[in-house]
């Protein structure tokens, strides 16, 4: 994710270039040789790392769903830990919940701005996964949504659970619109775009409650 600073492994380089090429030209429009050329190895050399393009696609889509979930769990654990065990009664104060909601939004914005090809891949190619991989993606995504629903209802307790879930899905749609915002050079800059997306997400959540 965006916070990683160490050099990527060859396997990660392959996945990054595969995601870019798949997003630009479609899964069937890209050959193994082209992916290999993008990272400086022969096409057959890719088989030392992956069984084929299907395996790359599965690792990309399952992987990002898992990383989003793991990142959200980490942010929640860190927030609860910094609150000094404030959840012994099973709940957070609204101020803590607001800070945690902001943190979750920031984490998803990092993904939406830095992993735009994966959003395109998910929209276009999810149905190409094996049933087991597709079900795993959906399972991870449901868990991710439910974490957000719990935090959102801590900020807006009057918001019913089904409405909170719908609001979370709607905000994901808003944040995941980044592949359609234009070329990176046409955006107002990463920091300004992140700030705009954050304001829009918070505004959408507040609108869901009528506040």
């Amino acid at each position: 994710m965006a916070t990683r600073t160490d050099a990527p492994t060859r396997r990660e380089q392959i996945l990054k270039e595969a995601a870019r090429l798949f997003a630009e030209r479609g899964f069937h429009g890209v050959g193994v040789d082209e992916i290999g050329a993008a990272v400086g190895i022969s096409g057959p050399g890719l088989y030392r790392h992956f069984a084929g393009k299907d395996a790359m696609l599965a690792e990309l889509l399952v992987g990002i769903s898992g990383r989003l979930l793991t990142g959200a769990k980490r942010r929640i654990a860190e927030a609860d830990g910094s609150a000094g065990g404030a959840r012994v009664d099973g709940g957070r104060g609204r101020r803590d919940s607001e800070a945690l909601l902001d943190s979750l939004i920031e984490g998803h914005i990092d993904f939406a701005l830095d992993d735009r090809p994966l959003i395109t891949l998910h929209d276009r190619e999810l149905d190409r996964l094996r049933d087991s991989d597709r079900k795993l993606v959906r399972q991870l995504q449901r868990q991710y949504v439910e974490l957000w629903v719990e935090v959102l209802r801590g900020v807006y307790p009057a918001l019913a659970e089904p409405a909170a879930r719908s609001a979370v899905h709607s905000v994901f749609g808003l944040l995941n619109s980044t592949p359609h915002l234009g070329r990176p050079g046409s955006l107002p800059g990463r920091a300004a775009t992140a700030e705009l997306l954050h304001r829009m997400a918070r505004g959408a959540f507040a609108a869901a409650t009528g506040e």
Side-chain angles (χ1 to χ4, degrees):
M1 296 293 288
T3 56
R4 179 170 178 155
T5 57
D6 51 321
T9 65
R10 176 50 62 90
R11 186 180 181 88
E12 289 168 336
Q13 291 173 342
I14 293 170
L15 287 173
K16 180 179 179 180
E17 291 304 316
R20 178 182 64 81
L21 291 168
F22 291 159
E24 288 177 357
R25 293 162 46 193
F27 181 75
H28 286 305
V30 179
V32 171
D33 288 343
E34 294 166 278
I35 299 172
V39 295
I41 62 177
S42 67
L46 287 180
Y47 293 108
R48 291 196 297 269
H49 302 277
F50 297 96
K53 290 197 307 177
D54 289 338
M56 294 180 207
L57 182 63
E59 184 154 338
L60 284 166
L61 295 182
V62 174
I64 190 55
S65 296
R67 292 199 300 275
L68 284 170
L69 177 60
T70 298
K73 287 181 176 180
R74 174 182 54 78
R75 288 170 181 268
I76 290 171
E78 289 174 352
D80 289 342
S82 67
R87 295 209 64 200
V88 292
D89 61 350
R92 301 181 188 91
R94 174 158 179 164
R95 181 176 299 178
D96 289 337
S97 293
E98 291 230 18
L100 181 49
L101 180 60
D102 284 332
S103 180
L104 290 177
I105 292 171
E106 289 167 6
H108 199 96
I109 288 173
D110 283 343
F111 157 67
L113 291 177
D114 298 335
D115 292 304
R116 293 166 69 181
L118 292 179
I119 297 174
T120 301
L121 275 188
H122 181 277
D123 290 345
R124 293 181 184 170
E125 312 289 359
L126 181 63
D127 287 344
R128 298 192 188 280
L129 295 183
R130 296 180 304 174
D131 286 346
S132 58
D133 289 328
R134 188 167 58 252
K135 288 177 181 178
L136 179 55
V137 168
R138 294 301 192 194
Q139 179 185 15
L140 293 169
Q141 290 174 341
R142 283 194 297 271
Q143 293 178 46
Y144 183 57
V145 167
E146 293 310 308
L147 292 179
W148 280 66
V149 168
E150 178 194 347
V151 174
L152 181 61
R153 295 189 71 214
V155 179
Y156 302 109
L159 190 62
E161 188 172 305
R165 192 170 293 109
S166 295
V168 168
H169 280 291
S170 297
V171 166
F172 286 172
L174 185 159
L175 298 180
N176 291 348
S177 67
T178 51
H180 311 291
L181 295 180
R183 296 172 183 253
S186 68
L187 299 177
R190 191 189 188 287
T193 301
E195 183 180 351
L196 173 62
L197 289 172
H198 199 126
R199 290 199 309 270
M200 293 176 69
R202 287 303 303 262
F205 283 138
T209 68
E211 293 189 7

